[in-house]
């Protein structure tokens, strides 16, 4: 079992920054993919970014490339999502997720992840 707890959301003005944290407990994550998703009111949950815990490889949604950075701290068993130059359209609930690595999984989709945090709200005002 993996437990994930997000923190760091809040209200920020457009152009501002936030850093989300996702603390993981329960097992080591060296063979896991850690993803960040978001869901805005009335919209489907969408992929934002992911990091391969073992290799550190990262992937991003096109609209956040150059603004968001996903990273991990092995010692703290924590994944971060640094969000710069925030826009009102970034407003959503943000979720951290963990998925065991599988060659057949599509880690751009939510169903590749078996563990989810409770979410943290991010609101960007104009």
């Amino acid at each position: 079992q993996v437990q994930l707890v997000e923190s760091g959301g809040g209200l920020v003005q457009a152009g501002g920054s936030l850093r989300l944290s996702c603390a993981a407990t329960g097992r080591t994550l060296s063979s896991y993919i850690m993803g960040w998703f978001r869901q805005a009111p009335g919209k489907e949950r969408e992929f934002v970014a992911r990091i391969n815990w073992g290799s550190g490889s990262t992937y991003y949604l096109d609209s956040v490339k150059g603004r968001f950075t996903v990273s991990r701290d092995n010692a703290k068993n924590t994944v971060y999502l640094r969000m710069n130059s925030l826009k009102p359209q970034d407003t959503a609930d943000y979720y951290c997720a963990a998925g065991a690595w599988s060659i057949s999984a599509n880690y751009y989709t939510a169903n590749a992840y078996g563990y989810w945090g409770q979410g943290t709200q991010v609101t960007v005002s104009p």
Side-chain angles (χ1 to χ4, degrees):
Q1 287 285 347
V2 177
Q3 293 80 41
L4 304 172
V5 178
E6 301 104 330
S7 60
L11 172 64
V12 64
Q13 288 188 327
S17 298
L18 284 173
R19 190 182 76 161
L20 306 183
S21 299
C22 173
T25 58
R27 63 187 305 165
T28 57
L29 298 173
S30 57
S31 61
Y32 276 72
I33 308 298
M34 302 300 295
W36 285 98
F37 286 74
R38 66 186 180 187
Q39 188 166 18
K43 295 188 177 182
E44 293 187 354
R45 189 168 297 191
E46 70 171 350
F47 167 84
V48 176
R50 63 177 171 92
I51 184 167
N52 181 320
W53 194 286
S55 68
S57 298
T58 58
Y59 302 86
Y60 296 94
L61 177 69
D62 282 347
S63 62
V64 308
K65 283 180 182 177
R67 300 189 298 123
F68 290 14
T69 302
V70 60
S71 63
R72 86 258 196 248
D73 184 325
N74 290 334
K76 296 182 178 180
N77 229 31
T78 298
V79 175
Y80 303 99
L81 184 67
R82 177 68 180 184
M83 306 185 293
N84 295 329
S85 303
L86 283 161
K87 305 175 181 180
Q89 50 265 46
D90 294 318
T91 294
D93 291 326
Y94 282 71
Y95 297 88
C96 172
W101 185 85
S102 169
I103 196 169
S104 60
N106 179 353
Y107 294 102
Y108 293 98
T109 61
N111 59 15
Y113 299 83
Y115 302 99
W116 291 82
Q118 82 287 356
T120 185
Q121 188 173 53
V122 172
T123 303
V124 185
S125 62

